[in-house]
């Protein structure tokens, strides 16, 4: 059975009761996504550079309300990309369809994509992998369950989508769990190593946090770590690239 999201609504915004944390910035969640994830990963430039039939793969460690994915869809369309977008995400505590609808009402500018997601989203997500096609160029694969187990499952999969040379590797990562102090399992060195193994060489990542254990874990897993000012009142965040292959 899937564990419930345990959402509490405060002034129309979703809050996780389980982790006592916000799903996105109360200041402006969409602008936060653009600042923390889209820009540091240079997605606009990379979308524009894609050739026909070329695919950019984005991986994410916490789907939440789907805001990051939908902001990506908007940017991908605005870029007039000739390529394709594959977004792979995982969520242990998925929102119900009604909760998803309520959360996404906050972003009417994303309605063309949120409508497509809502139309395909199950009433209650089960522990499996869901495939959503928003159009002929945008695909979402949402894995319901523990992030480490889900991504390790991709590494061990015999499915041709995840075998090399067919599997080119993830090109950009959104590390977006709840706060490391409140949800440490999404910030473990074991998960970072798995992320390294699923990544293409030079894959980028970004995250809202700059916590010491996260920085050290990413360095140990073969990623560079760079600091920049955080969004809004947040002091710092980090971003970087895969520099070294981790095989064990």
């Amino acid at each position: 059975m899937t564990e419930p999201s345990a959402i509490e609504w405060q002034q129309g915004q979703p809050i996780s009761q389980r982790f006592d944390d916000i799903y996105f910035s109360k200041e402006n969640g969409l602008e936060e996504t653009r600042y923390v994830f889209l820009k540091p990963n240079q997605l606009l430039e990379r979308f524009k550079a894609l050739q026909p039939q070329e695919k950019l793969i984005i991986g994410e460690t916490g789907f939440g309300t789907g805001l990051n994915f939908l902001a990506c869809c908007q940017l991908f369309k605005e870029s007039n990309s000739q390529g394709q977008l594959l977004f792979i995400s995982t969520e242990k505590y998925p929102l119900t369809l009604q909760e998803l609808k309520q959360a996404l009402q906050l972003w009417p500018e994303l309605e063309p994509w949120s409508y497509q997601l809502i139309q395909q989203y199950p009433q209650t997500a089960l522990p499996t992998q869901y495939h959503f096609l928003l159009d002929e160029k945008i695909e979402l694969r949402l894995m319901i369950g523990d992030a480490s187990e889900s991504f390790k499952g991709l590494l061990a999969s015999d499915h041709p989508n995840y075998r090399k040379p067919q599997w080119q590797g993830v090109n950009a990562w959104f590390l977006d769990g709840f706060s490391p102090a409140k949800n440490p399992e999404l910030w473990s060195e074991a998960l970072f190593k798995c992320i390294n193994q699923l990544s293409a060489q030079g894959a980028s990542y970004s995250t809202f946090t700059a916590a010491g254990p996260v920085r050290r874990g990413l360095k140990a897993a073969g990623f560079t770590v760079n600091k920049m000012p955080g969004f809004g009142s947040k002091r710092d965040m980090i971003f970087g690239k895969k520099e070294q292959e981790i095989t064990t």
Side-chain angles (χ1 to χ4, degrees):
M1 284 293 293
T2 307
E3 297 187 59
S5 61
I7 277 183
E8 176 184 30
W9 298 91
Q10 295 181 8
Q11 298 179 332
Q13 294 210 342
I15 309 292
S16 171
Q17 292 180 302
R18 178 177 283 104
F19 297 107
D20 187 28
D21 204 356
I22 56 176
Y23 276 86
F24 43 72
S25 168
K26 293 181 179 179
E27 297 173 53
N28 191 319
L30 182 53
E31 284 304 315
E32 178 189 38
T33 287
R34 290 166 176 159
Y35 182 91
V36 173
F37 297 113
L38 305 190
K39 291 179 181 178
N41 285 291
Q42 299 180 309
L43 291 184
L44 179 60
E45 297 84 352
R46 294 165 82 176
F47 287 158
K48 287 182 176 180
L50 289 174
Q51 299 301 308
Q53 306 307 313
E54 192 176 5
K55 184 181 294 182
L56 190 134
I57 302 176
I58 296 174
E60 181 186 52
T61 56
F63 188 71
T65 65
L67 178 58
N68 295 339
F69 167 64
L70 297 171
C72 264
C73 293
Q74 183 185 50
L75 185 67
F76 184 81
K77 284 300 184 182
E78 290 175 351
S79 74
N80 293 312
S81 178
Q82 298 300 302
Q84 300 172 16
L85 170 61
L86 170 57
F87 196 99
I88 302 174
S89 188
T90 182
E91 180 57 58
K92 188 173 183 178
Y93 308 106
L95 277 66
T96 65
L97 178 59
Q98 187 54 46
E99 289 169 338
L100 186 72
K101 287 179 179 178
Q102 185 171 347
L104 295 181
Q105 286 176 356
L106 294 167
W107 317 113
E109 59 266 61
L110 300 178
E111 195 275 337
W113 302 278
S114 60
Y115 174 81
Q116 292 293 329
L117 176 62
I118 288 167
Q119 288 297 108
Q120 299 176 59
Y121 195 86
Q123 288 286 340
T124 302
L126 301 175
T128 186
Q129 182 176 151
Y130 291 92
H131 289 209
F132 305 89
L133 294 174
L134 272 70
D135 62 23
E136 72 280 1
K137 290 186 175 183
I138 300 176
E139 179 184 357
L140 165 66
R141 296 179 191 168
L142 176 58
M143 299 179 290
I144 304 300
D146 177 80
S148 292
E149 292 179 6
S150 295
F151 286 127
K152 285 178 183 176
L154 292 190
L155 280 176
S157 176
D158 288 329
H159 193 284
N161 284 346
Y162 307 115
R163 286 205 306 264
K164 292 181 178 179
Q166 293 91 335
W167 173 248
Q168 68 183 54
V170 173
N171 306 110
W173 287 94
F174 296 174
L175 305 183
D176 195 25
F178 289 111
S179 165
K182 298 176 179 179
N183 187 23
E185 69 181 44
L186 273 187
W187 307 95
S188 69
E189 289 190 22
L191 178 57
F192 292 154
K193 288 180 180 179
C194 183
I195 285 172
N196 176 295
Q197 292 170 321
L198 284 169
S199 297
Q201 190 59 40
S204 63
Y205 77 88
S206 63
T207 177
F208 66 90
T209 185
V214 174
R215 298 197 311 271
R216 292 189 290 272
L218 285 165
K219 284 181 180 179
F223 292 90
T224 63
V225 175
N226 306 291
K227 274 189 182 181
M228 62 180 279
F231 178 78
S233 59
K234 198 162 190 325
R235 181 178 176 182
D236 296 311
M237 59 166 279
I238 58 174
F239 67 100
K241 290 186 176 182
K242 176 179 173 177
E243 186 176 47
Q244 177 185 354
E245 194 82 29
I246 301 294
T247 56
T248 58

